[in-house]
Amino acid sequence: MNDFFSNPVLVKALPEAIIETLQMVGISAFFTVLVGLPLGVFLHVSAPGGLRPMPVINRILSDIVVNITRSIPFAILMVALIPLARALTGTSLGPVAASVSLSIGTIPFFARLVETCLRDVHHGKIDAAQVMGSTNMQVISKVLLRESLPPLVAAATTTVVTLVGYSAMAGLVGGGGLGKLAYNYGFQRFDVSVMIVTIVLIVVLVQVIQLVGERISRSLDHR
Amino acid sequence: MITVTDLRKVYQQGKKEVVALDGVTLSVPKGSIHGIIGHSGAGKSTLVRCLTLLDRPTSGSVSIDGTELSSVRDSEIRAARRRIGMVFQHANLMDSRTAAGNVAHPLELVKTPKDKTRTRVAELLKLVGLEGFENAYPSQLSGGQRQRVGIARALASEPEVLLCDEPTSALDPATTNEILDLIQELTSRLQLTVLIITHEMNVVKRVCNSVSLLSRGRIIEHGALEDVAGELDSQLARALLPLPPSFPLPGPLQRGPVLEIVFSGDSAKEPVLTGVARHFDMDINVLAGSVETLGGQQFGHLRVQLAENSDVDGVLGYLTDRGISARRVAPVAGAAPEFPDTLPDPDLPDPVVPNQGLHPTKEQGRHE
Ligand SMILES: Nc1ncnc2c1ncn2[C@@H]1O[C@H](COP(=O)(O)OP(=O)(O)O)[C@@H](O)[C@H]1O
Ligand SMILES: [Mg+2]
């Protein structure tokens, strides 16, 4: 124990790494939901048999964008997106720049999860809402999203957990955070205590996210 | 009052055309309940979708109190829909909303002020007998209670027409009767025009004033309950007044002619059979019988056997003169004309014999 607290790397670099990781996860989680949720809704609504079928656009978005992005391994995507990150944030280093590729990597993933959640809303509920005179927007907000809120929260939780993993990878190509710490000290300098501490911290972070997410999801579930 | 005139709906399935509704005409006056009964595939769901404007009819019209619904512009479709309240088989409530929240749902859509919504919701829940259940979620309610919430929600926008699609098919018999009684009470209290889609004859018997039999997209029989029940030859009458199978009794009567008699209302109060027996001086044996109250009138359906060599035409004439519908049938169960397209009737005693004209439904048939 004493060993850990006297380790200068842990005392100096660890707090900063934690903050960087939280920044990366926080920023990219925000943008993933911001873009992924509407994208998922659109994919569902514009599908054949949906509220407002738009076969061509749906096909393009669904097949090309989503599938291609998902089939490129994240490590490659991250490197490929460095120019974009630089264009958007003015730098290719640091948690903010890394958040660009993190978000782009998880948006399609989350959108697909959203689409699946919405598909599980019983069609009778949509019929009922339409017969009572709902607009399409009202069906989306008052039925599709509201009725699938518990699984949506669960999907967001899964996505954030995935982001924690991705953020460790992003750390290696300039993002910083716990991933970089583990790599620089734990791997390159064989500092076992740094390795252990970062692993424990990442596991705890994942556990906390999972726990909070499940708690929220369950409290919203009245089925 | 709802009026449907020559409604047709043709679905395009690849190159094939599927005629789901083939000229449906019906009209239901205010304050009365009309049952639409038919097999699966008859076009019931299509009719519902056309009435609620979820689907546009291919031709024909639907109007409520003289206002044409089927040709409203898309921008007016939502306002038009609010004139029809709909009750679903599985209630289709929102699980994330409480009972009160579900009833408030249609009111929210038109931005009803909060306090007005609150009083209206309380009123509606009271109307359906759910006072005190405001904060219960659907998962905490029984099937019957959920259906009550569904009915309250359907009435929230003060519709003139209540459309019920198999409202009791998912409920047990006792709850079914409670819900039907509620629908009946609300119909007269609020002067609603009610259409009930069902495959259960029990529903028709209990609450409907009139009934239509839908088959392959057409209405093949229809009328006030007391009228159709009195027509011996109709499929509806046979389903409304089913007789158990029977065989001629042993003894001197066994070769006598067998008659089926339906008598109703006033004639049911007279001693018909005694009259026949006295007038023709013959013995009569009752083989099977059922008595029902339909549309507020008493109906009796009897299968009787007369003595051998009796004057069948004379007896038939005697009965017809007294306004009683009667006809001769084959003596042994099984030889009567078949009805290829009659209704499944869960109320029928088992086993269902062919001369009842009641075949298993198509779904049941598939499992065999
Ligand atoms: N969307 C559709 N496309 C093609 N055919 C349909 C469609 N909806 C219904 N049908 C056909 O119309 C007929 C009537 O169906 P439906 O109204 O669902 O009957 P019911 O509700 O009485 O079981 C059936 O033959 C069915 O196959
Ligand atoms: Mg159907």
Side-chain angles (χ1 to χ4, degrees):
Chain A
M1 262 333 252
N2 247 347
D3 216 31
F4 284 1
F5 290 111
S6 57
N7 188 326
V9 175
L10 287 179
V11 175
K12 274 195 179 159
L14 187 63
E16 199 190 339
I18 293 175
I19 289 172
E20 281 173 352
T21 291
L22 290 179
Q23 272 181 329
M24 273 190 283
V25 173
I27 296 171
S28 45
F30 176 78
F31 281 104
T32 298
V33 173
L34 191 72
V35 181
L37 187 66
L39 181 59
V41 170
F42 183 82
L43 282 173
H44 175 73
V45 169
S46 63
L51 266 186
R52 202 172 181 305
M54 293 180 247
V56 179
I57 306 179
N58 182 272
R59 200 56 196 259
I60 292 172
L61 271 181
S62 179
D63 286 7
I64 302 180
V65 181
V66 176
N67 284 333
I68 289 185
T69 348
R70 279 188 66 195
S71 55
I72 300 175
F74 181 67
I76 295 171
L77 187 73
M78 216 165 38
V79 177
L81 287 173
I82 286 177
L84 179 67
R86 189 180 296 134
L88 285 176
T89 65
T91 168
S92 60
L93 290 176
V96 177
S99 298
V100 173
S101 42
L102 281 174
S103 306
I104 292 176
T106 46
I107 284 169
F109 174 71
F110 183 60
R112 273 287 187 229
L113 291 181
V114 169
E115 196 191 0
T116 311
C117 292
L118 301 186
R119 204 180 297 142
D120 285 343
V121 175
H122 193 276
H123 205 272
K125 292 177 181 176
I126 297 163
D127 281 350
Q130 287 188 313
V131 169
M132 62 179 94
S134 302
T135 61
N136 282 348
M137 282 318 273
Q138 284 170 328
V139 173
I140 291 170
S141 64
K142 288 176 186 291
V143 182
L144 286 177
L145 290 177
R146 193 151 158 195
E147 286 294 298
S148 59
L149 203 52
L152 283 176
V153 169
T157 306
T158 308
T159 307
V160 175
V161 167
T162 310
L163 272 174
V164 173
Y166 282 0
S167 79
M169 263 194 272
L172 304 187
V173 290
L178 290 170
K180 185 179 168 201
L181 195 71
Y183 182 75
N184 284 358
Y185 296 91
F187 180 65
Q188 290 186 322
R189 298 187 196 168
F190 300 109
D191 187 336
V192 177
S193 57
V194 171
M195 190 65 108
I196 292 174
V197 168
T198 48
I199 289 175
V200 169
L201 278 175
I202 288 177
V203 169
V204 168
L205 183 59
V206 166
Q207 285 295 327
V208 168
I209 292 167
Q210 197 76 53
L211 215 75
V212 171
E214 272 171 22
R215 203 46 80 73
I216 297 174
S217 175
R218 210 170 317 132
S219 75
L220 292 168
D221 200 347
H222 296 292
R223 284 175 294 182
Chain B
M1 160 130 185
I2 186 163
T3 313
V4 176
T5 314
D6 204 21
L7 199 66
R8 275 176 62 81
K9 176 71 192 179
V10 182
Y11 287 110
Q12 202 71 38
Q13 219 173 33
K15 279 185 182 159
K16 228 178 66 194
E17 287 192 337
V18 181
V19 183
L21 291 178
D22 191 9
V24 168
T25 298
L26 59 88
S27 131
V28 187
K30 212 178 179 67
S32 96
I33 305 180
H34 186 81
I36 293 175
I37 192 156
H39 279 306
S40 101
K44 303 186 296 292
S45 299
T46 308
L47 181 59
V48 169
R49 294 184 69 81
C50 287
L51 293 180
T52 53
L53 304 173
L54 288 176
D55 256 345
R56 291 293 186 138
T58 308
S59 66
S61 86
V62 177
S63 71
I64 295 179
D65 290 337
T67 319
E68 183 59 45
L69 287 196
S70 45
S71 61
V72 296
R73 275 173 308 200
D74 281 345
S75 56
E76 292 161 355
I77 210 162
R78 285 188 301 280
R81 277 181 186 155
R82 296 180 69 83
R83 303 187 63 180
I84 297 182
M86 179 143 180
V87 177
F88 298 85
Q89 177 172 359
H90 296 286
N92 294 354
L93 302 178
M94 306 300 148
D95 293 311
S96 62
R97 289 170 178 260
T98 59
N102 269 288
V103 179
H105 193 167
L107 301 170
E108 276 172 29
L109 300 177
V110 287
K111 314 247 182 309
T112 314
K114 278 239 160 59
D115 50 337
K116 204 174 153 199
T117 301
R118 204 171 309 122
T119 48
R120 181 97 183 100
V121 167
E123 221 173 83
L124 285 159
L125 284 174
K126 188 175 174 202
L127 194 65
V128 298
L130 281 182
E131 257 176 314
F133 286 90
E134 286 77 7
N135 298 320
Y137 285 94
S139 61
Q140 300 165 322
L141 297 172
S142 69
Q145 289 170 329
R146 280 202 287 273
Q147 199 54 291
R148 284 171 192 267
V149 176
I151 292 171
R153 179 179 68 179
L155 295 174
S157 54
E158 299 181 51
E160 291 115 301
V161 174
L162 191 64
L163 185 57
C164 309
D165 190 6
E166 303 271 8
T168 59
S169 300
L171 304 175
D172 62 65
T175 314
T176 293
N177 288 341
E178 281 173 32
I179 294 296
L180 291 176
D181 292 348
L182 175 66
I183 292 174
Q184 191 165 46
E185 186 203 324
L186 293 171
T187 305
S188 55
R189 193 184 314 179
L190 305 174
Q191 281 299 295
L192 299 170
T193 302
V194 181
L195 269 169
I196 300 185
I197 312 281
T198 183
H199 69 273
E200 295 169 306
M201 215 59 202
N202 173 42
V203 172
V204 176
K205 281 183 195 171
R206 193 166 180 104
V207 292
C208 290
N209 303 105
S210 54
V211 59
S212 293
L213 173 57
L214 192 65
S215 171
R216 297 195 187 97
R218 291 169 176 272
I219 289 180
I220 55 172
E221 285 179 15
H222 68 100
L225 220 55
E226 56 270 27
D227 295 340
V228 290
E231 285 177 30
L232 249 181
D233 289 329
S234 74
Q235 295 176 34
L236 282 170
R238 293 180 157 262
L240 284 168
L241 294 164
L243 283 184
S246 66
F247 300 92
L249 299 171
L253 281 176
Q254 65 181 339
R255 284 220 282 252
V258 175
L259 301 187
E260 275 192 24
I261 303 173
V262 170
F263 49 88
S264 68
D266 302 335
S267 64
K269 290 180 192 108
E270 280 175 27
V272 183
L273 290 184
T274 325
V276 173
R278 281 216 196 92
H279 193 266
F280 295 90
D281 189 23
M282 63 162 73
D283 290 333
I284 299 176
N285 236 327
V286 176
L287 299 178
S290 78
V291 176
E292 294 271 359
T293 304
L294 299 171
Q297 264 187 58
Q298 266 228 315
F299 282 86
H301 187 186
L302 288 180
R303 189 183 297 127
V304 298
Q305 190 166 33
L306 310 178
E308 213 176 336
N309 303 324
S310 37
D311 175 11
V312 178
D313 292 335
V315 173
L316 290 177
Y318 175 92
L319 292 170
T320 313
D321 287 347
R322 280 155 186 77
I324 295 163
S325 163
R327 63 168 189 169
R328 186 170 182 175
V329 295
V332 179
E338 295 219 349
F339 296 85
D341 206 13
T342 35
L343 301 163
D345 187 349
D347 298 330
L348 264 187
D350 285 323
V352 178
V353 296
N355 88 321
Q356 299 296 298
L358 288 150
H359 288 277
T361 59
K362 282 173 195 161
E363 293 109 63
Q364 281 164 346
R366 256 181 242 137
H367 293 302
E368 281 165 10

